[in-house]
Amino acid sequence: MSVENMAGNLSGQDFNPFQDVDFSQLERSLRRPRTLFSVLMSGLVTVMTLLALIPLFSVVWMLFWRGGRELSAASFTQLPPGPLEMGGGFGNAIIGTMIMVAFGSLISIPLGILTAVFLAQAPASSRLAQTVRFAAKVLTGFPSILAGVFAYGAVVLLTGGYSAIAGGVAVSILMLPTILLTTEDAIRMVPAKIKEAAIGMGATPTQTVWMVLLPTALPGILTGIMLALARGAGETAPLLFTALFSNYWAMQGGHLDLMQPTASLAVLIYNFAGAPFPNQVALAWAAALVLVLLVLILNLIGQSVSRRQVQ
Amino acid sequence: MSSVPISQPPTRAQRITNIVFQKTCYGFAWLSIVLVAFIVLRIASAALPAMREYGLGFLTGTTWDPNEGTYSILPEMWGTIYSSLLALIIGTAFGVAVAIFLSEGYVGDFIFNTLKIFNLHFHKVWGKLPERAEQLLRNLIELLAAIPSVVYGLWGLFVVIPAIRPAAGWLHAELGWFPLFGTDLAGPGMLPAVLVLSIMILPTITAISRNSLTAVPSRLRMAAYGLGATRWETVLAVILPTALRGIFGGVVLAFGRALGETMALAMLVGNANKISVSLFSPANTLAALLANSFPEARPKDVGVLMYAALVLLAITLVVNIAGAAILQRASGEHDGART
């Protein structure tokens, strides 16, 4: 029995509430333009999504194909080669990246976390908290090259030379907003009853922060730190003219000199990518593979710790 | 009975620590505001001498020649905005399409229906597959954002440029009269830079668009389906318009990112000081100019570069604040329909 007949039978003789309805319009069939349009659009976004994933797979494939075959133990232990030398590595660049990211963390982690503690406890109406949040958002969209320009103006010009310190300052500016905003979120996600229990036991606000809020929010905070480290390690623009580059080890004669130009993986990739020498280009790919793996591992660690946060 | 109390009033030392810590946090909050203000002021004050010397002519002239001592950045401003707009067009089309694909749950539905054939769709292990696959797809798109921009630049140099060169040559030969194809692609140029830039901003657009699409109250979708709308009639007539403001905010933020993006552009755009609408012509952007000129800047060039940096700062600041303000207004705008 068709739908029309059923409707007719149900409604008696003189009144049919469905008499103006064209039931054929509700049929789902590819011959109907409406359905066809819907199916075609579904196909279109599927194809566009696949297209959007092509670059990712292409990048990863190229990194393993061109960088993977170049990677060896020497890559991690040797200094960058000159124009026509063979072999060589980027050991000093890996160490340089670590030094500068560590120095950036020294500034941005305490500043970010303590500011976030203030933000998370400030009343919603606090002008200062709103301004800080605004400042953090401004920093989030801050072009990385401008962090370099600032570090150049504030550190390089002041100390009279390119240095790891200047690079670290530039990196810290880029790490700060990530740490600040994720830490604030993590502290805010701590259930109010846990915090109230601490206050009810007579804990001072400081004891509540150190013994209850920060330990509970730790996974979230670690996620923020990992993401910030990943971002700091991958940034090139702020290092180009703050730490510059160096073909030598940062550690010389047994002591670490932070006041001299320092190599970093990102700048090495930039310098060697445009080089006319195949050996240097090959090293750029190997360094890119190492850098991407480093960034991905930091991201993955960050994501896996965040799942442990108490909800 | 032990006389140790369960709780006790804070001792004098605890009280003092408390006050000191509270003040420290307060101080650090101020410190981060001061830091941002200091960054802006430091760049502005370093740019001041050059601003006095070159004035507004700096923004309207077309030559950059350190040897002659003439500096102006109109071509760079043009290149910055032109490349970002083109990247935004491509990035928005694909970013929103991916966001719709993710929020409509195509992958999950497909796997669920496939499992249904084998009657495994509520199985203890297999039943989780649709959710896991959706998660994987989201993570893959987010991975695009995790790759450092210098790696994109390297990839662009060795993959994108060789890949598009034949097509670019053909377009120029056949359709050279059309301004977009007015010149030939000789290595680096606008199009490879724009393509890579659009890939870099896609995750931003997708993430924010997906958030606003999934924030659309499900009763609106149900109502549309209940009225007999097809999936795409629902998407185009109900879901997208409802989520529009959030998507727009994401697009503006992505525009801000594109304007400030440095490395991929410095490596791919060609660093040529000219204004051209051709997709295949080399060009330059403000960020790329800074990246290329600062390392070898003489003291007297620094002021001029700081001026250029200040212009970039002003442009990105305006765009970012606009984007953040739009997103702020967009969040919580459907609260009425959710109740």
Side-chain angles (χ1 to χ4, degrees), chain B residues 11-52:
Chain B
T11 61
R12 195 180 161 75
Q14 283 167 339
R15 258 178 241 226
I16 293 170
T17 330
N18 180 39
I19 292 169
V20 170
F21 181 71
Q22 298 283 324
K23 295 280 179 218
T24 315
C25 287
Y26 189 77
F28 270 77
W30 268 108
L31 197 60
S32 42
I33 296 178
V34 170
L35 178 70
V36 174
F38 181 58
I39 292 171
V40 175
L41 285 179
R42 187 74 194 89
I43 296 177
S45 70
L48 208 58
M51 286 171 84
R52 286 224 188 83

mmCIF file of all heavy atoms in Angstrom, chain B residues 11-52:
data_model
loop_
_atom_site.group_PDB
_atom_site.id
_atom_site.type_symbol
_atom_site.label_atom_id
_atom_site.label_comp_id
_atom_site.label_asym_id
_atom_site.label_seq_id
_atom_site.Cartn_x
_atom_site.Cartn_y
_atom_site.Cartn_z
ATOM 1 N N THR B 11 50.104 29.370 60.658
ATOM 2 C CA THR B 11 51.116 29.990 61.512
ATOM 3 C C THR B 11 51.544 31.322 60.905
ATOM 4 O O THR B 11 51.201 31.639 59.769
ATOM 5 C CB THR B 11 52.352 29.089 61.626
ATOM 6 O OG1 THR B 11 52.873 28.932 60.310
ATOM 7 C CG2 THR B 11 51.993 27.727 62.174
ATOM 8 N N ARG B 12 52.336 32.056 61.665
ATOM 9 C CA ARG B 12 52.804 33.350 61.202
ATOM 10 C C ARG B 12 53.599 33.191 59.906
ATOM 11 O O ARG B 12 53.405 33.940 58.942
ATOM 12 C CB ARG B 12 53.683 33.951 62.291
ATOM 13 C CG ARG B 12 53.957 35.409 62.112
ATOM 14 C CD ARG B 12 54.841 35.905 63.272
ATOM 15 N NE ARG B 12 55.465 37.159 62.881
ATOM 16 C CZ ARG B 12 54.815 38.319 62.826
ATOM 17 N NH1 ARG B 12 53.525 38.372 63.112
ATOM 18 N NH2 ARG B 12 55.444 39.417 62.460
ATOM 19 N N ALA B 13 54.471 32.153 59.881
ATOM 20 C CA ALA B 13 55.296 31.932 58.688
ATOM 21 C C ALA B 13 54.414 31.654 57.477
ATOM 22 O O ALA B 13 54.634 32.186 56.384
ATOM 23 C CB ALA B 13 56.248 30.766 58.923
ATOM 24 N N GLN B 14 53.372 30.832 57.685
ATOM 25 C CA GLN B 14 52.479 30.506 56.560
ATOM 26 C C GLN B 14 51.745 31.739 56.064
ATOM 27 O O GLN B 14 51.542 31.927 54.875
ATOM 28 C CB GLN B 14 51.487 29.428 56.990
ATOM 29 C CG GLN B 14 52.128 28.050 57.017
ATOM 30 C CD GLN B 14 51.265 27.047 57.725
ATOM 31 O OE1 GLN B 14 50.390 27.404 58.512
ATOM 32 N NE2 GLN B 14 51.512 25.778 57.452
ATOM 33 N N ARG B 15 51.354 32.580 57.014
ATOM 34 C CA ARG B 15 50.666 33.804 56.620
ATOM 35 C C ARG B 15 51.564 34.691 55.769
ATOM 36 O O ARG B 15 51.136 35.245 54.750
ATOM 37 C CB ARG B 15 50.255 34.580 57.866
ATOM 38 C CG ARG B 15 48.785 34.412 58.192
ATOM 39 C CD ARG B 15 48.522 35.163 59.449
ATOM 40 N NE ARG B 15 48.066 34.216 60.450
ATOM 41 C CZ ARG B 15 47.021 34.456 61.228
ATOM 42 N NH1 ARG B 15 46.394 35.597 61.139
ATOM 43 N NH2 ARG B 15 46.634 33.556 62.095
ATOM 44 N N ILE B 16 52.823 34.802 56.214
ATOM 45 C CA ILE B 16 53.747 35.673 55.468
ATOM 46 C C ILE B 16 54.021 35.086 54.079
ATOM 47 O O ILE B 16 53.954 35.783 53.064
ATOM 48 C CB ILE B 16 55.055 35.862 56.264
ATOM 49 C CG1 ILE B 16 54.745 36.665 57.522
ATOM 50 C CG2 ILE B 16 56.091 36.580 55.418
ATOM 51 C CD1 ILE B 16 55.875 36.728 58.499
ATOM 52 N N THR B 17 54.262 33.743 54.039
ATOM 53 C CA THR B 17 54.474 33.100 52.734
ATOM 54 C C THR B 17 53.295 33.364 51.820
ATOM 55 O O THR B 17 53.453 33.665 50.637
ATOM 56 C CB THR B 17 54.607 31.568 52.899
ATOM 57 O OG1 THR B 17 55.172 31.296 54.152
ATOM 58 C CG2 THR B 17 55.408 30.969 51.779
ATOM 59 N N ASN B 18 52.105 33.247 52.417
ATOM 60 C CA ASN B 18 50.895 33.447 51.629
ATOM 61 C C ASN B 18 50.871 34.838 51.005
ATOM 62 O O ASN B 18 50.673 34.988 49.800
ATOM 63 C CB ASN B 18 49.675 33.243 52.532
ATOM 64 C CG ASN B 18 48.385 33.431 51.769
ATOM 65 O OD1 ASN B 18 48.308 33.013 50.615
ATOM 66 N ND2 ASN B 18 47.421 34.067 52.386
ATOM 67 N N ILE B 19 51.125 35.832 51.843
ATOM 68 C CA ILE B 19 51.083 37.204 51.325
ATOM 69 C C ILE B 19 52.147 37.398 50.248
ATOM 70 O O ILE B 19 51.871 37.939 49.168
ATOM 71 C CB ILE B 19 51.266 38.211 52.482
ATOM 72 C CG1 ILE B 19 50.029 38.158 53.385
ATOM 73 C CG2 ILE B 19 51.474 39.612 51.942
ATOM 74 C CD1 ILE B 19 50.186 38.898 54.671
ATOM 75 N N VAL B 20 53.356 36.895 50.535
ATOM 76 C CA VAL B 20 54.448 37.063 49.563
ATOM 77 C C VAL B 20 54.083 36.392 48.241
ATOM 78 O O VAL B 20 54.232 36.980 47.161
ATOM 79 C CB VAL B 20 55.759 36.470 50.127
ATOM 80 C CG1 VAL B 20 56.826 36.420 49.040
ATOM 81 C CG2 VAL B 20 56.242 37.287 51.300
ATOM 82 N N PHE B 21 53.538 35.166 48.319
ATOM 83 C CA PHE B 21 53.216 34.443 47.085
ATOM 84 C C PHE B 21 52.114 35.154 46.299
ATOM 85 O O PHE B 21 52.190 35.300 45.080
ATOM 86 C CB PHE B 21 52.794 33.009 47.420
ATOM 87 C CG PHE B 21 52.473 32.193 46.207
ATOM 88 C CD1 PHE B 21 53.483 31.779 45.354
ATOM 89 C CD2 PHE B 21 51.160 31.868 45.906
ATOM 90 C CE1 PHE B 21 53.183 31.044 44.224
ATOM 91 C CE2 PHE B 21 50.861 31.133 44.773
ATOM 92 C CZ PHE B 21 51.877 30.719 43.938
ATOM 93 N N GLN B 22 51.079 35.608 47.027
ATOM 94 C CA GLN B 22 49.994 36.313 46.332
ATOM 95 C C GLN B 22 50.519 37.543 45.614
ATOM 96 O O GLN B 22 50.171 37.818 44.469
ATOM 97 C CB GLN B 22 48.918 36.741 47.339
ATOM 98 C CG GLN B 22 48.246 35.586 48.066
ATOM 99 C CD GLN B 22 47.219 34.891 47.197
ATOM 100 O OE1 GLN B 22 46.544 35.512 46.419
ATOM 101 N NE2 GLN B 22 47.130 33.577 47.326
ATOM 102 N N LYS B 23 51.405 38.276 46.315
ATOM 103 C CA LYS B 23 51.959 39.485 45.701
ATOM 104 C C LYS B 23 52.829 39.120 44.499
ATOM 105 O O LYS B 23 52.849 39.830 43.491
ATOM 106 C CB LYS B 23 52.795 40.268 46.724
ATOM 107 C CG LYS B 23 51.984 40.803 47.879
ATOM 108 C CD LYS B 23 51.242 42.074 47.509
ATOM 109 C CE LYS B 23 50.412 42.558 48.693
ATOM 110 N NZ LYS B 23 49.118 43.100 48.325
ATOM 111 N N THR B 24 53.554 37.987 44.627
ATOM 112 C CA THR B 24 54.417 37.572 43.517
ATOM 113 C C THR B 24 53.583 37.288 42.274
ATOM 114 O O THR B 24 53.906 37.734 41.167
ATOM 115 C CB THR B 24 55.210 36.303 43.900
ATOM 116 O OG1 THR B 24 55.724 36.473 45.206
ATOM 117 C CG2 THR B 24 56.339 36.057 42.919
ATOM 118 N N CYS B 25 52.498 36.530 42.467
ATOM 119 C CA CYS B 25 51.630 36.218 41.327
ATOM 120 C C CYS B 25 51.087 37.501 40.714
ATOM 121 O O CYS B 25 51.071 37.667 39.492
ATOM 122 C CB CYS B 25 50.461 35.336 41.761
ATOM 123 S SG CYS B 25 50.955 33.670 42.096
ATOM 124 N N TYR B 26 50.661 38.417 41.594
ATOM 125 C CA TYR B 26 50.152 39.704 41.131
ATOM 126 C C TYR B 26 51.227 40.428 40.325
ATOM 127 O O TYR B 26 50.971 40.941 39.226
ATOM 128 C CB TYR B 26 49.745 40.520 42.360
ATOM 129 C CG TYR B 26 48.994 41.787 42.058
ATOM 130 C CD1 TYR B 26 47.655 41.745 41.699
ATOM 131 C CD2 TYR B 26 49.631 43.018 42.151
ATOM 132 C CE1 TYR B 26 46.964 42.909 41.431
ATOM 133 C CE2 TYR B 26 48.948 44.189 41.894
ATOM 134 C CZ TYR B 26 47.613 44.131 41.527
ATOM 135 O OH TYR B 26 46.936 45.274 41.255
ATOM 136 N N GLY B 27 52.445 40.392 40.866
ATOM 137 C CA GLY B 27 53.563 41.049 40.174
ATOM 138 C C GLY B 27 53.833 40.427 38.821
ATOM 139 O O GLY B 27 54.055 41.127 37.828
ATOM 140 N N PHE B 28 53.790 39.086 38.759
ATOM 141 C CA PHE B 28 54.063 38.410 37.481
ATOM 142 C C PHE B 28 52.984 38.731 36.456
ATOM 143 O O PHE B 28 53.266 38.856 35.269
ATOM 144 C CB PHE B 28 54.175 36.901 37.693
ATOM 145 C CG PHE B 28 55.574 36.460 38.002
ATOM 146 C CD1 PHE B 28 56.104 36.647 39.262
ATOM 147 C CD2 PHE B 28 56.368 35.886 37.032
ATOM 148 C CE1 PHE B 28 57.397 36.264 39.554
ATOM 149 C CE2 PHE B 28 57.674 35.504 37.320
ATOM 150 C CZ PHE B 28 58.181 35.685 38.581
ATOM 151 N N ALA B 29 51.727 38.849 36.941
ATOM 152 C CA ALA B 29 50.656 39.219 36.008
ATOM 153 C C ALA B 29 50.956 40.574 35.386
ATOM 154 O O ALA B 29 50.852 40.756 34.170
ATOM 155 C CB ALA B 29 49.316 39.241 36.739
ATOM 156 N N TRP B 30 51.377 41.522 36.246
ATOM 157 C CA TRP B 30 51.757 42.831 35.711
ATOM 158 C C TRP B 30 52.941 42.701 34.769
ATOM 159 O O TRP B 30 52.995 43.354 33.721
ATOM 160 C CB TRP B 30 52.113 43.790 36.866
ATOM 161 C CG TRP B 30 50.932 44.570 37.321
ATOM 162 C CD1 TRP B 30 50.239 44.413 38.488
ATOM 163 C CD2 TRP B 30 50.273 45.617 36.601
ATOM 164 N NE1 TRP B 30 49.193 45.286 38.538
ATOM 165 C CE2 TRP B 30 49.192 46.049 37.398
ATOM 166 C CE3 TRP B 30 50.482 46.219 35.379
ATOM 167 C CZ2 TRP B 30 48.321 47.059 36.999
ATOM 168 C CZ3 TRP B 30 49.623 47.233 34.981
ATOM 169 C CH2 TRP B 30 48.561 47.643 35.786
ATOM 170 N N LEU B 31 53.884 41.822 35.157
ATOM 171 C CA LEU B 31 55.100 41.671 34.360
ATOM 172 C C LEU B 31 54.772 41.264 32.935
ATOM 173 O O LEU B 31 55.376 41.752 31.966
ATOM 174 C CB LEU B 31 55.997 40.613 35.017
ATOM 175 C CG LEU B 31 57.454 40.600 34.574
ATOM 176 C CD1 LEU B 31 58.096 41.939 34.878
ATOM 177 C CD2 LEU B 31 58.198 39.486 35.290
ATOM 178 N N SER B 32 53.759 40.362 32.761
ATOM 179 C CA SER B 32 53.493 39.922 31.392
ATOM 180 C C SER B 32 52.841 41.036 30.582
ATOM 181 O O SER B 32 53.048 41.115 29.371
ATOM 182 C CB SER B 32 52.662 38.642 31.369
ATOM 183 O OG SER B 32 51.653 38.695 32.314
ATOM 184 N N ILE B 33 52.065 41.912 31.257
ATOM 185 C CA ILE B 33 51.535 43.063 30.518
ATOM 186 C C ILE B 33 52.668 43.999 30.134
ATOM 187 O O ILE B 33 52.777 44.453 28.991
ATOM 188 C CB ILE B 33 50.509 43.832 31.374
ATOM 189 C CG1 ILE B 33 49.316 42.941 31.652
ATOM 190 C CG2 ILE B 33 50.073 45.096 30.673
ATOM 191 C CD1 ILE B 33 48.298 43.597 32.526
ATOM 192 N N VAL B 34 53.554 44.238 31.131
ATOM 193 C CA VAL B 34 54.687 45.127 30.870
ATOM 194 C C VAL B 34 55.532 44.577 29.727
ATOM 195 O O VAL B 34 56.002 45.327 28.865
ATOM 196 C CB VAL B 34 55.540 45.287 32.155
ATOM 197 C CG1 VAL B 34 56.843 46.003 31.859
ATOM 198 C CG2 VAL B 34 54.753 46.048 33.200
ATOM 199 N N LEU B 35 55.684 43.237 29.692
ATOM 200 C CA LEU B 35 56.487 42.619 28.628
ATOM 201 C C LEU B 35 55.909 42.947 27.252
ATOM 202 O O LEU B 35 56.633 43.384 26.352
ATOM 203 C CB LEU B 35 56.542 41.105 28.838
ATOM 204 C CG LEU B 35 57.305 40.322 27.773
ATOM 205 C CD1 LEU B 35 58.788 40.600 27.876
ATOM 206 C CD2 LEU B 35 57.036 38.833 27.893
ATOM 207 N N VAL B 36 54.587 42.740 27.099
ATOM 208 C CA VAL B 36 53.966 43.021 25.803
ATOM 209 C C VAL B 36 54.114 44.497 25.450
ATOM 210 O O VAL B 36 54.496 44.857 24.331
ATOM 211 C CB VAL B 36 52.471 42.612 25.823
ATOM 212 C CG1 VAL B 36 51.793 43.024 24.541
ATOM 213 C CG2 VAL B 36 52.347 41.118 26.031
ATOM 214 N N ALA B 37 53.858 45.358 26.456
ATOM 215 C CA ALA B 37 53.995 46.793 26.189
ATOM 216 C C ALA B 37 55.437 47.127 25.815
ATOM 217 O O ALA B 37 55.696 47.909 24.887
ATOM 218 C CB ALA B 37 53.569 47.586 27.425
ATOM 219 N N PHE B 38 56.385 46.498 26.521
ATOM 220 C CA PHE B 38 57.792 46.769 26.261
ATOM 221 C C PHE B 38 58.175 46.336 24.843
ATOM 222 O O PHE B 38 58.928 47.029 24.152
ATOM 223 C CB PHE B 38 58.652 46.038 27.301
ATOM 224 C CG PHE B 38 60.126 46.266 27.151
ATOM 225 C CD1 PHE B 38 60.649 47.546 27.189
ATOM 226 C CD2 PHE B 38 60.995 45.195 26.962
ATOM 227 C CE1 PHE B 38 62.012 47.765 27.044
ATOM 228 C CE2 PHE B 38 62.354 45.401 26.804
ATOM 229 C CZ PHE B 38 62.863 46.693 26.847
ATOM 230 N N ILE B 39 57.645 45.173 24.397
ATOM 231 C CA ILE B 39 57.948 44.701 23.045
ATOM 232 C C ILE B 39 57.515 45.743 22.021
ATOM 233 O O ILE B 39 58.285 46.153 21.149
ATOM 234 C CB ILE B 39 57.239 43.353 22.770
ATOM 235 C CG1 ILE B 39 57.854 42.247 23.629
ATOM 236 C CG2 ILE B 39 57.328 42.988 21.302
ATOM 237 C CD1 ILE B 39 57.099 40.949 23.587
ATOM 238 N N VAL B 40 56.258 46.188 22.175
ATOM 239 C CA VAL B 40 55.737 47.160 21.211
ATOM 240 C C VAL B 40 56.545 48.459 21.281
ATOM 241 O O VAL B 40 56.972 49.010 20.253
ATOM 242 C CB VAL B 40 54.242 47.439 21.488
ATOM 243 C CG1 VAL B 40 53.722 48.523 20.580
ATOM 244 C CG2 VAL B 40 53.441 46.155 21.311
ATOM 245 N N LEU B 41 56.807 48.928 22.511
ATOM 246 C CA LEU B 41 57.523 50.196 22.651
ATOM 247 C C LEU B 41 58.957 50.101 22.146
ATOM 248 O O LEU B 41 59.478 51.037 21.535
ATOM 249 C CB LEU B 41 57.522 50.638 24.120
ATOM 250 C CG LEU B 41 56.194 51.183 24.603
ATOM 251 C CD1 LEU B 41 56.278 51.574 26.065
ATOM 252 C CD2 LEU B 41 55.782 52.388 23.760
ATOM 253 N N ARG B 42 59.593 48.947 22.384
ATOM 254 C CA ARG B 42 60.986 48.777 21.965
ATOM 255 C C ARG B 42 61.081 48.883 20.440
ATOM 256 O O ARG B 42 61.958 49.555 19.898
ATOM 257 C CB ARG B 42 61.512 47.412 22.437
ATOM 258 C CG ARG B 42 62.989 47.203 22.216
ATOM 259 C CD ARG B 42 63.810 48.018 23.215
ATOM 260 N NE ARG B 42 65.211 48.094 22.819
ATOM 261 C CZ ARG B 42 65.709 49.040 22.018
ATOM 262 N NH1 ARG B 42 64.911 49.956 21.521
ATOM 263 N NH2 ARG B 42 66.981 49.053 21.701
ATOM 264 N N ILE B 43 60.163 48.189 19.751
ATOM 265 C CA ILE B 43 60.174 48.240 18.289
ATOM 266 C C ILE B 43 59.843 49.650 17.815
ATOM 267 O O ILE B 43 60.499 50.199 16.935
ATOM 268 C CB ILE B 43 59.191 47.199 17.711
ATOM 269 C CG1 ILE B 43 59.651 45.779 18.077
ATOM 270 C CG2 ILE B 43 59.070 47.342 16.211
ATOM 271 C CD1 ILE B 43 58.727 44.680 17.636
ATOM 272 N N ALA B 44 58.835 50.261 18.474
ATOM 273 C CA ALA B 44 58.426 51.601 18.047
ATOM 274 C C ALA B 44 59.538 52.613 18.266
ATOM 275 O O ALA B 44 59.821 53.449 17.392
ATOM 276 C CB ALA B 44 57.165 52.021 18.801
ATOM 277 N N SER B 45 60.215 52.523 19.420
ATOM 278 C CA SER B 45 61.236 53.537 19.687
ATOM 279 C C SER B 45 62.437 53.346 18.771
ATOM 280 O O SER B 45 63.069 54.315 18.345
ATOM 281 C CB SER B 45 61.666 53.490 21.153
ATOM 282 O OG SER B 45 62.400 52.304 21.390
ATOM 283 N N ALA B 46 62.738 52.084 18.428
ATOM 284 C CA ALA B 46 63.845 51.862 17.499
ATOM 285 C C ALA B 46 63.473 52.343 16.103
ATOM 286 O O ALA B 46 64.348 52.678 15.296
ATOM 287 C CB ALA B 46 64.213 50.378 17.470
ATOM 288 N N ALA B 47 62.170 52.356 15.811
ATOM 289 C CA ALA B 47 61.738 52.769 14.474
ATOM 290 C C ALA B 47 61.619 54.285 14.363
ATOM 291 O O ALA B 47 61.548 54.825 13.264
ATOM 292 C CB ALA B 47 60.399 52.121 14.142
ATOM 293 N N LEU B 48 61.599 54.971 15.516
ATOM 294 C CA LEU B 48 61.293 56.405 15.516
ATOM 295 C C LEU B 48 62.215 57.241 14.620
ATOM 296 O O LEU B 48 61.718 58.056 13.825
ATOM 297 C CB LEU B 48 61.308 56.927 16.957
ATOM 298 C CG LEU B 48 60.404 58.136 17.212
ATOM 299 C CD1 LEU B 48 58.964 57.811 16.844
ATOM 300 C CD2 LEU B 48 60.502 58.574 18.656
ATOM 301 N N PRO B 49 63.544 57.063 14.716
ATOM 302 C CA PRO B 49 64.419 57.880 13.851
ATOM 303 C C PRO B 49 64.088 57.705 12.375
ATOM 304 O O PRO B 49 64.013 58.692 11.624
ATOM 305 C CB PRO B 49 65.818 57.349 14.161
ATOM 306 C CG PRO B 49 65.712 56.664 15.455
ATOM 307 C CD PRO B 49 64.314 56.166 15.584
ATOM 308 N N ALA B 50 63.850 56.444 11.964
ATOM 309 C CA ALA B 50 63.531 56.196 10.554
ATOM 310 C C ALA B 50 62.181 56.802 10.190
ATOM 311 O O ALA B 50 61.992 57.290 9.077
ATOM 312 C CB ALA B 50 63.534 54.697 10.275
ATOM 313 N N MET B 51 61.232 56.777 11.155
ATOM 314 C CA MET B 51 59.926 57.365 10.869
ATOM 315 C C MET B 51 60.070 58.858 10.634
ATOM 316 O O MET B 51 59.447 59.430 9.743
ATOM 317 C CB MET B 51 58.967 57.114 12.040
ATOM 318 C CG MET B 51 58.469 55.697 12.115
ATOM 319 S SD MET B 51 57.574 55.392 13.632
ATOM 320 C CE MET B 51 55.963 55.981 13.169
ATOM 321 N N ARG B 52 60.917 59.517 11.444
ATOM 322 C CA ARG B 52 61.135 60.951 11.254
ATOM 323 C C ARG B 52 61.766 61.210 9.893
ATOM 324 O O ARG B 52 61.401 62.138 9.185
ATOM 325 C CB ARG B 52 62.086 61.466 12.337
ATOM 326 C CG ARG B 52 61.418 61.581 13.679
ATOM 327 C CD ARG B 52 61.779 62.876 14.370
ATOM 328 N NE ARG B 52 61.258 62.841 15.728
ATOM 329 C CZ ARG B 52 61.906 62.243 16.720
ATOM 330 N NH1 ARG B 52 63.073 61.688 16.514
ATOM 331 N NH2 ARG B 52 61.374 62.221 17.921
#
